[in-house]
Amino acid sequence: MIKRAAAAAIGGALAVAAVPAVLGAVGFTGAGIAASSLAAKMMSAAAVANGGGVAAGSLVATLQSVGAAGLSTSSNILLGSVGSAFGALLGGARRAPPSPPPGGPRPEGEQPGENVPQVEPPKPPLGPEKHEK
């Protein structure tokens, strides 16, 4: 199992490396928004919503900026820190071993519900019944 420190380092590195790769795959590239991509659909929806243009500071504009120029140093540090925290959490998580079934192991062919004694419903009390009005 990976130790917590190693998992933290891997998580941080993956987070920093994954953002540019994912943005490029979605269509936010250094050369602009790729045609027929998810980024192009997002830009089209933003332009329709804003009356023909993409507003500065909007999600599409920010993602295009990151796709073209990359993340700033402070953003990379923040992203690496968050990725390290998640990596440490996931790398430190240990799964409990499976617990045996209640009552110990069952012989082959014996399923729950087999060989269970049947309980009879309670019998009404004996004696004269006088329910007349």
Side-chain angles (χ1 to χ4, degrees):
M1 179 166 254
I2 299 176
K3 292 190 177 191
R4 199 175 278 217
I10 291 169
L14 280 175
V16 172
V19 169
V22 169
L23 286 177
V26 171
F28 294 103
T29 67
I33 292 181
S36 300
S37 65
L38 179 60
K41 290 178 175 85
M42 289 174 65
M43 186 175 112
S44 174
V48 169
N50 290 316
V54 176
S58 68
L59 178 63
V60 173
T62 302
L63 292 175
Q64 178 52 43
S65 174
V66 172
L71 290 170
S72 66
T73 303
S74 59
S75 295
N76 274 327
I77 290 171
L78 179 64
L79 187 62
S81 299
V82 171
S84 294
F86 277 119
L89 281 173
L90 295 175
R94 292 193 176 128
R95 293 186 181 182
S99 60
R106 296 183 187 272
E108 255 185 64
E110 185 178 325
Q111 296 297 321
E114 287 183 6
N115 302 326
V116 175
Q118 298 295 321
V119 179
E120 293 183 26
K123 296 179 181 178
L126 298 175
E129 294 185 25
K130 296 182 181 178
H131 294 296
E132 297 178 21
K133 289 187 179 177

